[in-house]
Amino acid sequence: MKSKIQFVLLILFQAVAFISLGQTEQEIREEQIDADPKREEIQRYFGYEDLTYRYLTLPYDINQNVNQQGKFVEVGLHLLLLFPLLLLYRLRRLGWLFYLYAVILIAYITICFANSNIITPNGLSNSQDNWTRAQESNNLSDSLLSSIFQKAQSIVPDLSEESNEFTYLILFGSFVLILLPLLFKAQRNLRNVLLITLAGFGFLFTMFSAGILWYGFLIVPLMLLVIGYYYGSGKSEKEKTVFSMYSKVLFTGVLVFSALFSLISRVSNIDLTMRSHPEHYGKTIVNGTVFPYSMGLLDEEGTLNLTSPNLAKAINDMNSNNGLIYMIGTSFSFNIKNNVNRIFQDNLLTTFYWLNQQYEDKTELIDVMKASDMKYIIVDLHTPTLDNTPEKSLTNKFRQVLAVLYQNPKVSLIATDRIVEFQDVNGNTQEIANVFGTKIKNFGSYAVYKIL
Amino acid sequence: MKLSFKEGFFIVFSLFWVGILFIDYWDKHPIYWLSLTHYKYWGWTAILGLIGVAFGFSQTEKFKIPKFPINGLVVFGAFLFTIILTAFCFNQYLQADLDLGNYWHLIERSSYTLICSYIVLLSAYSAGDLIISRTTQMAKIGGNTSFLVKTGTGFLVLVMSLFAMGSVSILTQIPVLILLLAFPLINYKRTISYSKNFFWNKFEFPSSWNFWGYLVAFITLIYSSINFLYTQSPFPLGFDARNYYVNIAQLLADQGSLVKGFQPYAWSLMESVGYIAFFSPEVTMFLATIGGFMSFWGIYELGVRYLKLDANYVLLAVFLFLSTPAINNHWIIEYKVDLALLFVQISILCLTFYWLTEKKSDLKTESLIADRFDWQIVIVLGLLMGFALSIKVLSIFLTFGLFVGLWWYNYNRIGAFFIAFFGFGFLIMAHVDDISGLRVYHIKPHQEAIMILLASISILLISMLQEGNKIKENLVATAILVFLSILPFVPWGMKNYKEITGGSLQQIVTGTNPQLEMSIFQFNDNYKASKKAANEK
C-alpha cells in the first residue's frame, strides 16, 4: 500500500512538471551568440560542436586537449587511459555488464573522435575540414587518426544545433544512472564515499565549468587515489597469473611512463614559440627573463624590459599621470599604478566593435575615446590567437582595431616589441620597432599608443 | 594458468584503448617528443639522480649504506642545493656573467622567502592549534589530518583578521606583523615544540616506504625546488596572476585597505601579507603555492590513512599530481588561488573521513550529530567549507558531492538522490551556468530546473516514507553545515552589499566588476558633451 502511494505521488508530481513545461512560455533566447564575449573567451575550452556532444566529449577533450592547447590545460595521458579501463577491469567478474560497458566505451570514444581535431606537425590545430589533407600527409599518426576521425564522423549522427531544450535532462539522467548502482549496490565504506563525492564533483564540473580545468583540480588527485584503490582491491595478492602480471604492467606502466615524461617535459620546458630557434629547445629549465633578477643582475625595471622589450618607458609614462587606459588584452595592469580605477578592459573587443560600427571615421573614434578621458591604448598583438570560434569573430574585430590605428594622426605609438622592416625615403630598408611596416621581422606581443 | 575469455577480451580491448588514445595524445602533444629529443640537463640529472638513489638505498639500508638522518634543516639544505645547481647548469646556456656573489644573492633571497613563508605557516598553524586543542575531542585527531585541519582553520582566522584590519584601513606592516607573530607567541610552548620537531628532530619515515617510495619523494622535492625558482621574480608571469590574483594582493598593500569589487578574494588577502609585512613579491607568489605543498600531505593522508592504499603508490600519486602540467603551471606561471582551494578541500575530506571513522556509535541506530564530538567536527567542517567558498565560489562542486556521499553513508540512499536532484536544480535556478556563459545555449533551463526540483520533492516524500528518521537527521545536519559555511562568507557579502546600491543577490555573492566600467552610451554621451563644449567655445 505504501509503495502504491509513493508511486502515485511520484507520477502526480511528474505530471505537474510536464504540464508546467508545456504551459510555460517558450524561453527562446535571442542573445547575439556570435558576438558573445564569453563564447570567445571561456568557451574556447569547451568547444563549439553540437551542444550535447560538447558536454559528453568534455572528459576526452580535456584529456587530449582538443579545444585548447597549452601546458596550462594539460592533465597528462594517464587519467583517460586508465580510469575507464578500471571499471572494465572490475566488471570482468560480472556477466553481460562487462561486454555492455565495453560497447559503451567504444560508442563514447567514437563520439569523441567524431568531434576531435588533428594537430599538424607545425603545431597548428586543423579543423575537421582539413582531415583530407592530413590523410595525405607523410605523418603516420595524422593520416591514421584523420581516417579514424572521418569514419567516426560518418557514423555519429547530428543531435541538434547549438541550442536545445533537453541537454540538461539527458546529462542529469546519465548522472542518475551512474549514481543508481553506486547508491544501491556499493558497499558502505569510506572508499565509496570518496567515489560518490568524486562522481558528484565531476558531474557539476562537467555541467558548469565550461571545460576550465582549474575549476576542478580536486578531480586529479582523487582520480589517482580511486585508480589506486580500485585496481588494488580488484586483484588477489596470491594471483601470479598471466592476466595479473599483464594488468600490473598496464596500470603501473602507464602511471610510471606518465610520471617519467612529465618530469622530462618539465626539465626540458619546451616553449613552442621558439620554433624558429629549435637550438634553444630544452635549455629553459628556469625562466630566462626573471633569472637575472633572481641572481641580482637586474632590477624590476630591467626585468620588465627583458620580458617585454621597450615597455618600461611606456609604463613610466603611464604612471606619471592619472590618464585612463583603454586596454585590449595584455597583463600590464600589474605594473600600472591605481590600475583598478584607470584601466578600461576590452579584451574581447566588445565595446570597440560597437563604437567602430557607430563611428566609421577612425579619427573621430579616437576623439570619442579622448572625450571619455582615455589617454592611452594598449593592444595585445596576440589577441586573435584566443579565437577558436568557427566564425573567427574576434579575429575580424582585431583587424578593425589595426585599421583604426594604422596611420591615425590622433594617436602616437610610444612602445612596442614588434620589429618591422620599412623603406625610408631613399629606398633603404631599415628595421624599427613599429606595428606596421613592409615586413614583420619579429611579431612582438604588445603595442602602447598615446592619444594626442 | 590459462586466460579466461573475459581476461583475453580485456587484454585485447585494453591494448586497443591504450594504443589508440596514446597515438592520439602523442599526435596532439608534439612537445613530449621534443622534450625527450632535446633533453639537455644530463649532468644535472646524473648528480641529482645519484643523490636520490643513495638516499633511497640509505633509508632502506641496502648495500650497507648507513641511514642518513633527515630533518627539516637537511630538507632546507637540499632545497637550496638543488636551486643553486639548477641556476649553475642553466647559466651554462645563458652565459650571464655570474660570480659567487650572485649565487649568494640567490641563497639570501630564497632563504628570506622560505623563512617568511614559514612564519606565515607557523602563524596559521598556531592560530588553528589554539582553537582545535581547546576542544577535547578534536585534540585527539593526530597525524596529518590534525596538521591540515589546524592549518586550514588557522588560515581562516588569519584571513578574517586581515579582513577586519582591511575594513578599518590598517593593512600596514606593523599591525600585520603583530597579527602574524601574536599566535605563535601566545602559543609559544607548542610553537617551540613544533618548530623543533620540524627543523631539528629526525623524521621518522613510515616503515612501509620502499626504495621506490623514497626515490619518488626525493624527485618530488627536486621538482618543487626547480619550480621555486620561478617565484624569485619581481612580478608574476601569468596573465590572470598579473591582472587579478597577485594584482589584488598588490592593490591591498598599496591601499592599506580592502579593494572595492571583485569576487571574494580570501586567498589574495592572505598573499598580500608578502607585500605588506615583508615587502617581498617573492613571498607573495610563494604563498600562492603553499596550498599545493600542503596538498601533498593531504593526498598522502587520504590515500594511506583513510583508503589504506600502499604508501609507495600514494607517493607516486603525489608526484603525478605535482607534475600534472596544468597544476604545475599554477606553481610557476599563474599564481591563482586554486592550489590554496585544493588544500582546503582536501582538508575538508580528511576531516570528514576522520569523523566517519572515529564515530563510535552505530549510524544505523544513532544520529549523525549525536554528541559533543560530532558538534565540534561539524562546526570546524562547516567553517572550512565556508572558507573554501570564500576562496572560490565554485567550491560548491565539492559541497554537492560531499553531501550526496554523506547522506548515502548515513543510511539514506533515497535521500541521497533527493540531495542530488535538489542541488542540481537549485544551481540552475541560481544561474550558476551563467558564469561560464553556457546558459544561453539551453532553451528552457528554468523549466528543466523546475522539473528536476519537483522530482526532488517526489523523492523527498518517498524517502520520508521509507527512511523516516534518517532523512530528517540529514536535513538538519545539512542545514547546520550550510549555515556554518555561510558564516565565513558573510563579511564578503556585507562588503559587496555596501559597495553596491540596489544590487542583485548574485552581485552580493560575486561582487561587482572592480575595473573601470563604461558603456557605449557613456562614450557617446561624453563625446556629445565634449562637442557641445567645443562649439560653445
Side-chain angles (χ1 to χ4, degrees):
Chain A
M1 182 64 189
K2 206 190 227 185
S3 58
K4 280 185 188 167
I5 295 171
Q6 292 163 14
F7 184 71
V8 167
L9 277 171
L10 188 62
I11 298 298
L12 197 63
F13 272 109
Q14 293 311 309
V16 169
F18 273 116
I19 289 165
S20 66
L21 203 67
Q23 285 184 341
T24 311
E25 282 182 19
Q26 291 270 348
E27 276 185 298
I28 297 181
R29 297 171 178 268
E30 292 182 0
E31 265 116 325
Q32 297 281 347
I33 291 176
D34 284 348
D36 181 3
K38 281 182 181 165
R39 178 177 169 79
E40 289 152 355
E41 165 56 18
I42 293 177
Q43 288 161 42
R44 60 192 167 113
Y45 301 98
F46 201 50
Y48 300 94
E49 60 270 46
D50 288 347
L51 184 65
T52 310
Y53 289 147
R54 239 182 274 181
Y55 285 99
L56 277 178
T57 61
L58 196 61
Y60 168 83
D61 289 347
I62 287 177
N63 204 89
Q64 305 296 80
N65 300 119
V66 170
N67 301 319
Q68 180 68 51
Q69 294 78 44
K71 287 181 198 168
F72 70 108
V73 287
E74 281 179 31
V75 285
L77 58 79
H78 48 277
L79 293 178
L80 187 67
L81 255 57
L82 294 183
F83 201 78
L85 281 184
L86 188 64
L87 185 57
L88 191 67
Y89 176 77
R90 291 300 301 268
L91 285 176
R92 74 189 190 282
R93 295 203 167 99
L94 299 179
W96 54 273
L97 278 175
F98 174 77
Y99 299 108
L100 175 66
Y101 180 64
V103 169
I104 290 171
L105 279 182
I106 297 285
Y108 177 75
I109 208 67
T110 306
I111 293 171
C112 294
F113 284 164
N115 294 283
S116 189
N117 277 332
I118 297 285
I119 308 295
T120 57
N122 67 4
L124 293 175
S125 173
N126 265 341
S127 69
Q128 295 172 17
D129 294 335
N130 290 328
W131 284 353
T132 309
R133 197 169 69 198
Q135 278 180 299
E136 293 161 1
S137 76
N138 292 327
N139 186 298
L140 194 63
S141 57
D142 273 359
S143 56
L144 171 67
L145 289 169
S146 60
S147 306
I148 294 171
F149 293 172
Q150 272 197 332
K151 189 73 190 160
Q153 202 187 32
S154 67
I155 297 169
V156 173
D158 282 333
L159 275 189
S160 66
E161 298 297 326
E162 282 203 279
S163 310
N164 63 44
E165 52 194 44
F166 50 77
T167 290
Y168 272 149
L169 295 175
I170 288 176
L171 294 168
F172 187 66
S174 308
F175 173 61
V176 169
L177 285 174
I178 292 168
L179 264 192
L180 269 168
L182 276 177
L183 296 188
F184 283 102
K185 292 288 182 192
Q187 210 181 351
R188 188 177 159 275
N189 56 39
L190 285 189
R191 291 156 178 167
N192 287 326
V193 171
L194 187 70
L195 191 60
I196 292 166
T197 303
L198 178 60
F201 186 101
F203 172 68
L204 285 198
F205 172 79
T206 307
M207 290 295 101
F208 298 132
S209 71
I212 296 175
L213 182 58
W214 49 91
Y215 289 173
F217 269 168
L218 184 63
I219 288 177
V220 173
L222 291 192
M223 280 178 83
L224 285 166
L225 293 177
V226 166
I227 287 170
Y229 166 64
Y230 282 99
Y231 164 64
S233 65
K235 62 182 175 73
S236 163
E237 287 301 327
K238 292 175 188 163
E239 279 179 8
K240 291 278 183 216
T241 60
V242 169
F243 181 74
S244 70
M245 287 192 298
Y246 169 80
S247 55
K248 186 172 184 177
V249 167
L250 174 72
F251 283 98
T252 316
V254 167
L255 290 173
V256 170
F257 180 87
S258 196
L260 196 62
F261 264 85
S262 295
L263 181 61
I264 292 170
S265 171
R266 171 62 188 89
V267 174
S268 289
N269 204 21
I270 302 286
D271 180 358
L272 287 177
T273 59
M274 291 197 297
R275 63 174 70 89
S276 54
H277 296 283
E279 67 275 14
H280 294 312
Y281 278 166
K283 293 179 181 175
T284 53
I285 189 171
V286 296
N287 187 288
T289 52
V290 301
F291 182 75
Y293 175 86
S294 64
M295 301 304 285
L297 290 172
L298 282 179
D299 60 5
E300 183 175 343
E301 189 171 310
T303 307
L304 190 62
N305 271 336
L306 206 53
T307 51
S308 303
N310 308 319
L311 180 63
K313 68 175 184 220
I315 295 290
N316 290 338
D317 194 321
M318 286 186 275
N319 284 339
S320 65
N321 57 72
N322 270 323
L324 301 187
I325 300 159
Y326 196 102
M327 186 179 269
I328 301 167
T330 81
S331 52
F332 301 156
S333 301
F334 190 86
N335 305 98
I336 296 169
K337 287 190 166 46
N338 195 21
N339 55 69
V340 264
N341 296 320
R342 293 177 60 199
I343 293 177
F344 175 75
Q345 282 199 336
D346 190 19
N347 295 343
L348 297 163
L349 298 170
T350 316
T351 302
F352 180 87
Y353 173 76
W354 292 112
L355 285 177
N356 200 33
Q357 299 285 99
Q358 274 193 281
Y359 301 98
E360 290 179 0
D361 181 81
K362 60 186 185 183
T363 57
E364 192 181 15
L365 196 151
I366 300 297
D367 284 338
V368 171
M369 290 185 179
K370 190 174 178 180
S372 291
D373 295 329
M374 297 289 162
K375 202 160 173 176
Y376 301 91
I377 301 172
I378 300 179
V379 181
D380 182 347
L381 300 173
H382 288 300
T383 299
T385 60
L386 291 177
D387 193 357
N388 283 346
T389 61
E391 62 274 9
K392 295 296 172 196
S393 52
L394 185 61
T395 307
N396 293 332
K397 284 188 269 184
F398 188 75
R399 281 200 194 109
Q400 293 170 17
V401 170
L402 294 179
V404 165
L405 293 172
Y406 180 66
Q407 292 183 342
N408 192 324
K410 298 276 185 167
V411 297
S412 164
L413 178 71
I414 60 171
T416 184
D417 60 349
R418 174 177 281 186
I419 306 293
V420 298
E421 275 181 9
F422 91 106
Q423 283 193 329
D424 62 20
V425 291
N426 301 321
N428 298 321
T429 303
Q430 289 191 33
E431 284 185 7
I432 55 164
N434 206 322
V435 176
F436 306 103
T438 50
K439 188 178 175 185
I440 296 176
K441 294 293 287 181
N442 181 1
F443 194 85
S445 60
Y446 80 93
V448 181
Y449 285 85
K450 195 167 192 170
I451 295 177
L452 301 172
Chain B
M1 215 169 149
K2 261 178 83 173
L3 283 173
S4 70
F5 181 77
K6 276 197 182 141
E7 286 171 346
F9 183 92
F10 178 84
I11 290 175
V12 170
F13 186 92
S14 62
L15 285 172
F16 158 75
W17 180 266
V18 169
I20 194 68
L21 285 176
F22 178 80
I23 292 171
D24 188 25
Y25 189 88
W26 202 254
D27 185 76
K28 288 176 168 63
H29 299 86
I31 217 164
Y32 285 100
W33 182 245
L34 291 172
S35 298
L36 183 63
T37 53
H38 289 85
Y39 194 86
K40 290 184 163 59
Y41 287 84
W42 294 107
W44 178 92
T45 306
I47 293 169
L48 291 172
L50 277 169
I51 296 172
V53 166
F55 169 68
F57 284 150
S58 84
Q59 295 304 311
T60 50
E61 290 172 310
K62 279 188 180 1
F63 305 115
K64 296 192 176 144
I65 300 174
K67 218 174 197 176
F68 190 81
I70 307 290
N71 60 16
L73 285 174
V74 172
V75 171
F76 179 69
F79 205 79
L80 288 181
F81 172 77
T82 309
I83 290 166
I84 296 300
L85 179 68
T86 307
F88 177 80
C89 292
F90 175 67
N91 198 47
Q92 304 311 301
Y93 298 111
L94 192 67
Q95 295 287 308
D97 190 17
L98 297 178
D99 56 32
L100 282 176
N102 298 110
Y103 289 100
W104 180 247
H105 176 89
L106 178 62
I107 292 174
E108 266 187 330
R109 296 301 304 175
S110 302
S111 303
Y112 182 75
T113 305
L114 290 168
I115 290 167
C116 293
S117 303
Y118 177 75
I119 291 171
V120 174
L121 188 65
L122 187 65
S123 181
Y125 177 79
S126 301
D129 185 58
L130 274 171
I131 295 166
I132 303 289
S133 299
R134 295 286 183 269
T135 58
T136 49
Q137 300 294 328
M138 296 272 287
K140 296 173 194 166
I141 292 179
N144 285 332
T145 303
S146 168
F147 173 62
L148 290 163
V149 171
K150 285 177 183 175
T151 313
T153 310
F155 272 124
L156 171 61
V157 170
L158 286 180
V159 164
M160 290 289 100
S161 306
L162 288 167
F163 184 95
M165 290 163 74
S167 309
V168 294
S169 304
I170 54 167
L171 274 180
T172 53
Q173 189 188 31
I174 303 298
V176 170
L177 272 175
I178 291 172
L179 171 71
L180 287 177
L181 296 172
F183 295 109
L185 287 173
I186 293 168
N187 205 9
Y188 71 95
K189 280 186 185 164
R190 290 178 76 86
T191 299
I192 293 169
S193 163
Y194 173 75
S195 297
K196 191 170 163 228
N197 274 338
F198 185 74
F199 284 109
W200 194 251
N201 292 351
K202 204 174 78 168
F203 290 168
E204 294 298 332
F205 293 110
S207 56
S208 53
W209 286 22
N210 60 24
F211 168 78
W212 297 108
Y214 281 109
L215 186 62
V216 170
F218 180 77
I219 293 172
T220 305
L221 176 70
I222 300 307
Y223 201 105
S224 305
S225 308
I226 61 177
N227 283 349
F228 175 82
L229 275 166
Y230 276 76
T231 65
Q232 301 306 293
S233 168
F235 43 75
L237 298 172
F239 184 90
D240 287 341
R242 289 169 68 116
N243 278 342
Y244 197 84
Y245 299 100
V246 183
N247 187 35
I248 294 173
Q250 184 185 229
L251 288 167
L252 287 161
D254 286 344
Q255 292 180 10
S257 61
L258 295 179
V259 179
K260 274 189 185 171
F262 291 107
Q263 289 194 22
Y265 45 83
W267 201 258
S268 291
L269 186 52
M270 194 66 242
E271 286 172 23
S272 70
V273 157
Y275 279 117
I276 300 170
F278 305 111
F279 300 138
S280 169
E282 295 94 325
V283 173
T284 296
M285 287 184 281
F286 189 69
L287 288 176
T289 68
I290 212 163
F293 289 103
M294 305 290 290
S295 298
F296 293 168
W297 272 271
I299 296 166
Y300 186 83
E301 181 81 339
L302 269 177
V304 174
R305 183 172 177 179
Y306 299 112
L307 301 183
K308 313 289 183 208
L309 297 181
D310 180 277
N312 301 289
Y313 171 79
V314 178
L315 287 168
L316 179 63
V318 168
F319 176 71
L320 279 165
F321 156 75
L322 166 64
S323 63
T324 300
I327 292 175
N328 185 63
N329 189 63
H330 278 61
W331 247 284
I332 62 176
I333 306 287
E334 284 291 10
Y335 296 110
K336 299 190 191 189
V337 299
D338 300 277
L339 290 179
L341 177 65
L342 186 60
F343 149 62
V344 178
Q345 289 179 326
I346 291 177
S347 304
I348 289 168
L349 286 173
C350 285
L351 183 59
T352 306
F353 285 5
Y354 172 78
W355 179 28
L356 297 179
T357 49
E358 291 299 311
K359 268 192 80 64
K360 296 289 183 269
S361 55
D362 180 4
L363 276 175
K364 211 164 189 175
T365 51
E366 299 286 333
S367 173
L368 186 63
I369 309 178
D371 53 26
R372 211 168 145 203
F373 167 75
D374 295 324
W375 274 108
Q376 289 170 358
I377 297 269
V378 161
I379 288 169
V380 175
L381 196 58
L383 292 175
L384 284 176
M385 281 180 175
F387 185 33
L389 284 171
S390 66
I391 295 174
K392 209 158 206 172
V393 172
L394 291 178
S395 187
I396 199 82
F397 295 173
L398 175 64
T399 310
F400 173 84
L402 198 54
F403 280 163
V404 176
L406 277 175
W407 281 49
W408 170 78
Y409 191 79
N410 193 24
Y411 294 98
N412 196 190
R413 293 175 175 185
I414 301 173
F417 274 106
F418 155 71
I419 201 78
F421 273 70
F422 181 80
F424 184 57
F426 174 77
L427 289 173
I428 300 176
M429 292 291 274
H431 286 245
V432 170
D433 50 358
D434 255 338
I435 297 173
S436 57
L438 293 174
R439 191 178 183 90
V440 70
Y441 298 106
H442 297 269
I443 291 176
K444 291 177 184 171
H446 200 76
Q447 282 84 337
E448 287 177 280
I450 289 171
M451 201 171 153
I452 292 170
L453 284 171
L454 286 171
S456 75
I457 295 173
S458 317
I459 297 167
L460 176 66
L461 291 169
I462 295 169
S463 179
M464 282 176 123
L465 290 167
Q466 287 208 353
E467 293 170 334
N469 289 334
K470 279 296 168 187
I471 185 106
K472 287 175 202 162
E473 193 183 295
N474 279 336
L475 282 169
V476 168
T478 302
I480 292 168
L481 277 169
V482 167
F483 172 74
L484 287 166
S485 64
I486 288 171
L487 287 180
F489 206 79
V490 164
W492 298 99
M494 285 170 59
K495 168 189 171 285
N496 292 335
Y497 181 76
K498 207 174 144 193
E499 289 167 1
I500 307 160
T501 42
S504 64
L505 179 63
Q506 193 178 4
Q507 281 181 310
I508 290 171
V509 170
T510 59
T512 53
N513 179 8
Q515 303 286 352
L516 188 62
E517 276 190 318
M518 290 184 78
S519 68
I520 52 168
F521 303 110
Q522 279 173 285
F523 275 104
N524 288 339
D525 290 345
N526 289 341
Y527 182 55
K528 281 181 197 156
S530 77
K531 268 177 43 176
K532 191 178 172 189
N535 288 339
E536 281 168 4
K537 273 186 192 170

